[in-house]
Amino acid sequence: MTPSKTGTARPPLAAGNRSFWLKQLHQWHWISSAICLIGMLLFAATGITLNHAAQIEGSPRTAARTAMLPAALLEALPPTQGDVKRALPAPLRDWISREFGVTAGDREAEWSADEIYLPLPRPGGDAWINIDRQTGETRHEVTTRGWVSYLNDLHKGRNTGTAWSWFLDVFAIACFVFCLTGLFLLHMHAGGRPTTWPMVGLGLVVPVVLAILFIH
């Protein structure tokens, strides 16, 4: 049977190209969505909690411990003229690890003639160690502000370290791939869905209008 010359069937080559790109886009779309699914749920939830941070007040809890720095370690501390910042000596780091379970690593401490102050910022709270250079009294204090504050700081990347920073970069790339492949899929299916581009445009226009009218 001879095909009608007036038919609207796509040419075989064009149909093959469309099929290839649809397959590729769907594959990258679902892979990127699987990678960033849990992260997107976390960031969506913490977006709400951050937006209402004033209404969601944490309940800070502080715990403190004290110990006496051994005399040998106290005497071995290098003299300090003025205020300087430098890492703790290895023997002192080892003692702090054994005594308080804290890994000081290469963090810089604030040295003065009277004391050594080591800040230990952390997501969802704060911590520090203070060493009295005259008596050797060492105080370790930890403040926690609850799980909401902890998750909010993960969202912001606040005091979360290098590994989490890498995760945020990978997560952002996965979200970019997810959105970009979704945009191309919208383009390829838009012919049969007339509301596609008005909805996409609405997603752009609404935040722009809100920013112009209500953010000053």
Side-chain angles (χ1 to χ4, degrees):
M1 183 175 180
T2 304
S4 172
K5 294 183 179 180
T6 59
T8 58
R10 294 176 181 271
L13 183 59
N17 286 339
R18 177 182 171 82
S19 176
F20 170 80
W21 285 112
L22 274 174
K23 182 179 179 180
Q24 293 297 317
L25 288 170
H26 277 293
Q27 183 171 0
W28 282 101
H29 194 65
W30 81 257
I31 290 174
S32 58
S33 67
I35 291 173
C36 60
L37 172 62
I38 303 303
M40 289 184 72
L41 291 174
L42 169 66
F43 278 78
T46 51
I48 296 174
T49 56
L50 283 168
N51 196 40
H52 296 277
Q55 290 79 35
I56 306 175
E57 296 183 359
S59 300
R61 292 185 299 174
T62 300
R65 293 175 56 194
T66 58
M68 295 300 297
L69 186 66
L73 287 178
L74 183 60
E75 294 173 1
L77 293 176
T80 302
Q81 295 181 351
D83 297 335
V84 297
K85 289 186 177 182
R86 62 186 177 210
L88 301 178
L92 181 56
R93 294 200 302 264
D94 293 340
W95 179 80
I96 288 174
S97 177
R98 292 192 303 270
E99 193 69 32
F100 299 112
V102 173
T103 302
D106 295 328
R107 297 174 184 266
E108 287 191 334
E110 300 173 9
W111 295 65
S112 69
D114 298 322
E115 65 178 9
I116 300 172
Y117 175 80
L118 177 66
L120 298 166
R122 52 194 290 168
D126 197 9
W128 50 265
I129 289 176
N130 187 80
I131 302 172
D132 188 315
R133 300 192 64 171
Q134 306 304 317
T135 65
E137 182 179 11
T138 304
R139 181 179 178 87
H140 176 223
E141 187 170 297
V142 178
T143 300
T144 56
R145 299 185 179 90
W147 280 104
V148 173
S149 179
Y150 177 80
L151 293 175
N152 285 348
D153 283 348
L154 291 185
H155 184 118
K156 295 182 290 186
R158 177 179 178 271
N159 302 323
T160 51
T162 303
W164 187 257
S165 177
W166 291 346
F167 165 77
L168 290 180
D169 288 340
V170 173
F171 172 74
I173 293 171
C175 288
F176 182 79
V177 172
F178 174 67
C179 293
L180 192 61
T181 53
L183 180 62
F184 279 107
L185 286 170
L186 285 175
H187 170 69
M188 299 189 76
H189 291 294
R193 300 170 183 172
T195 59
T196 296
W197 297 123
M199 295 298 293
V200 172
L202 192 63
L204 171 64
V205 171
V206 169
V208 169
V209 171
L210 291 177
I212 293 174
L213 296 180
F214 300 106
I215 300 177
H216 303 285

